[in-house]
Amino acid sequence: MAEVHIIGQILKAVDFDEPHLFCTWTLQSGSAWRLIQGEVHGQTHVSSNRLESCSDFAAPLDIHLSCAAVQGWPTLLVEVHAVNVLQQSWPVGYGFAHIPATPGAHRVEINTWKVAPNGWWQSIRERFGGGGASLSKTDLLFSGVERYKLQTRSSGKVIADLHLIFRKFEEYGVEFH
Amino acid sequence: MSGYGAGNSILGNQSTGSKQVKPKQKPKKIKKELKCAKETMDSKATASYFSLSITGQIVSATFPLGPDKEFVFLRYELVAGPDWQLVSGPQHGLTQLATNKHGHFNEPIVFSMPIEVTYKSTSPFGWPQLLVSVFGRSGMGREVLMGYAHIHLPVFGSRPATDESCEREASILLPKCPNMIADVTSWLLRREPELKDPKVLLNSMKCKGLSMESYGSLKFQLHTMMRGARKLGYKWHA
């Protein structure tokens, strides 16, 4: 069984409108992949920066997966949530990125989107009432199947630094460009 | 020794016994020294572990609007997973008290703290991380936490050839009070919040609910040398 190690950090979130953000991340992979060691979910602390409008998370990722097939290559799903003074949180960005397919160091930038408010009442609620709409089924994030009819807006970016180590892929004849 | 030998030379058994003892001791000593030298460079290919040597330094800390305190010092700690064994090098360290008050306020505060460690492991899981706690000391002598920063030690071949320097930056995160009452109390008692165990930052499951503010960054220059990883089948560059 070939093995993949993902070691890195979710560094920061930039270009979001709200200052206090936290990020929940998941590593999703197909049925042929098994988790050997590590956590595939995580939630970072709430972070803001004194000067710039970015949020530094520095959330460490250390995952060891074994794979029996190349289908279902793992993806990193990211949901950025904003927190207000009353400790209410709402999602302000959904995004995902496939883990790069070559070993080595990569800086992955995940662009995110959020659900757009539908009318003026929802816009006001988004600004003052504790947040806009959120997705009820989060598997929309990585499947392209039922996205029609959803109105979204672009949101900021999440930057992650990933180092990948592959093992035994050549034994099975898999090559990477 | 020669006296002992001469004294017992009459009894055949004893003399041969003593003669055997003496030459045996010498080869044992030599063998031991040779073994230590061998482990470092010539160990056989049947070893199932790889070893990782990191050399480098914590170069400097930069605060864009100047540090809040006059003197700044760092305390670093190396944390690794269960498969990893520290072979050589210190696991903790404390730097000097450095300041930039004689220069411009946003000049980097230079530490140049050397870090030289060697780890041995059977698997890359639990790759070692360097956790640095930044403390500040005002002129009155009170030491206050200014933040935490952590990075992974460079993973095999992590810097692509196109990158000019081996410099890496980590932002400094300062814990904030969880609610307004704690804020007021900390201001009254002049006690800033501090994490009981900064290793919580290295675990992605335990950070929920923590509120941090980032301000400033630390610069590191770290180089990696590893041995034995290719034999185990690890591929780390395309």
Side-chain angles (χ1 to χ4, degrees):
Chain A
M1 302 276 265
E3 290 168 20
V4 172
H5 287 266
I6 303 168
I7 297 169
Q9 281 187 353
I10 294 186
L11 287 178
K12 54 162 111 181
V14 294
D15 297 336
F16 280 89
D17 296 326
E18 297 83 359
H20 300 277
L21 302 170
F22 69 90
C23 170
T24 56
W25 58 269
T26 326
L27 194 83
Q28 195 96 24
S29 54
S31 52
W33 292 73
R34 293 244 172 284
L35 174 71
I36 302 181
Q37 284 168 309
E39 300 284 343
V40 284
H41 303 278
Q43 184 172 329
T44 67
H45 47 80
V46 177
S47 177
S48 64
N49 191 307
R50 217 182 265 193
L51 298 173
E52 307 164 16
S53 71
C54 73
S55 296
D56 290 292
F57 302 124
L61 289 179
D62 200 338
I63 305 166
H64 184 189
L65 299 164
S66 86
C67 81
V70 175
Q71 278 77 26
W73 192 263
T75 64
L76 182 63
L77 296 167
V78 147
E79 275 180 41
V80 182
H81 297 253
V83 181
N84 66 8
V85 186
L86 304 170
Q87 305 289 330
Q88 295 170 333
S89 74
W90 65 97
V92 288
Y94 294 103
F96 82 97
H98 282 280
I99 302 292
T102 45
H106 301 271
R107 185 155 268 222
V108 178
E109 286 190 3
I110 305 175
N111 288 303
T112 59
W113 50 266
K114 62 180 172 187
V115 180
N118 224 339
W120 67 271
W121 176 241
Q122 287 205 4
S123 316
I124 294 195
R125 248 190 55 186
E126 189 185 53
R127 267 187 193 271
F128 302 110
S134 66
L135 285 181
S136 62
K137 289 187 291 177
T138 46
D139 47 336
L140 259 185
L141 287 184
F142 54 91
S143 85
V145 176
E146 282 174 12
R147 288 186 174 200
Y148 179 63
K149 289 288 190 190
L150 184 63
Q151 291 181 2
T152 67
R153 235 176 239 183
S154 337
S155 197
K157 271 197 303 202
V158 175
I159 302 180
D161 219 1
L162 299 174
H163 303 279
L164 300 176
I165 303 176
F166 291 178
R167 189 175 183 215
K168 291 197 190 163
F169 272 97
E170 321 77 55
E171 279 180 25
Y172 298 94
V174 179
E175 287 161 30
F176 300 97
H177 170 63
Chain B
M1 276 314 217
S2 56
Y4 177 75
N8 289 336
S9 56
I10 307 166
L11 306 163
N13 258 349
Q14 274 188 359
S15 66
T16 46
S18 66
K19 267 198 192 153
Q20 274 171 8
V21 163
K22 259 206 290 183
K24 256 195 199 164
Q25 277 175 359
K26 267 203 192 153
K28 254 198 207 160
K29 261 200 207 159
I30 300 174
K31 251 199 212 163
K32 216 181 166 191
E33 284 169 18
L34 276 182
K35 228 186 27 187
C36 290
K38 266 194 176 179
E39 266 172 12
T40 53
M41 269 308 201
D42 302 324
S43 333
K44 289 197 162 180
T46 53
S48 63
Y49 57 83
F50 61 89
S51 69
L52 183 73
S53 287
I54 307 280
T55 54
Q57 51 176 295
I58 303 180
V59 182
S60 62
T62 314
F63 294 96
L65 286 182
D68 295 334
K69 301 279 166 193
E70 244 183 272
F71 288 96
V72 178
F73 67 97
L74 311 175
R75 184 177 167 268
Y76 76 84
E77 199 181 331
L78 283 158
V79 182
D83 294 328
W84 291 78
Q85 224 183 334
L86 187 66
V87 170
S88 83
Q91 200 170 11
H92 306 265
L94 206 49
T95 66
Q96 73 270 27
L97 291 159
T99 183
N100 68 351
K101 65 180 177 177
H102 299 290
H104 201 47
F105 59 80
N106 57 7
E107 263 178 16
I109 301 176
V110 175
F111 295 102
S112 282
M113 181 70 184
I115 296 183
E116 278 170 40
V117 285
T118 310
Y119 271 101
K120 190 168 94 166
S121 168
T122 53
S123 145
F125 179 71
W127 198 271
Q129 302 184 50
L130 183 59
L131 173 62
V132 178
S133 312
V134 184
F135 291 96
R137 196 184 132 139
S138 60
M140 313 286 272
R142 243 182 82 240
E143 289 168 5
V144 149
L145 175 72
M146 285 172 70
Y148 298 103
H150 63 272
I151 50 164
H152 281 280
L153 292 184
V155 182
F156 305 142
S158 63
R159 282 295 141 216
T162 51
D163 217 25
E164 336 74 37
S165 67
C166 309
E167 282 201 348
R168 322 170 79 223
E169 258 188 48
S171 31
I172 302 179
L173 296 162
L174 175 64
K176 288 201 307 199
C177 295
N179 51 32
M180 260 201 286
I181 298 181
D183 236 340
V184 170
T185 316
S186 99
W187 177 78
L188 282 175
L189 298 178
R190 303 284 178 103
R191 233 185 268 163
E192 307 282 330
E194 224 178 282
L195 285 178
K196 236 183 187 178
D197 185 11
K199 296 207 192 98
V200 152
L201 293 176
L202 302 181
N203 189 333
S204 55
M205 301 300 283
K206 297 194 185 148
C207 295
K208 253 206 252 196
L210 260 186
S211 181
M212 312 277 261
E213 186 185 44
S214 61
Y215 175 55
S217 62
L218 280 178
K219 227 179 246 195
F220 300 84
Q221 248 180 22
L222 295 166
H223 308 269
T224 334
M225 281 161 277
M226 91 306 255
R227 180 170 174 259
R230 206 182 281 245
K231 278 204 193 89
L232 295 172
Y234 290 106
K235 266 262 145 88
W236 57 91
H237 49 65

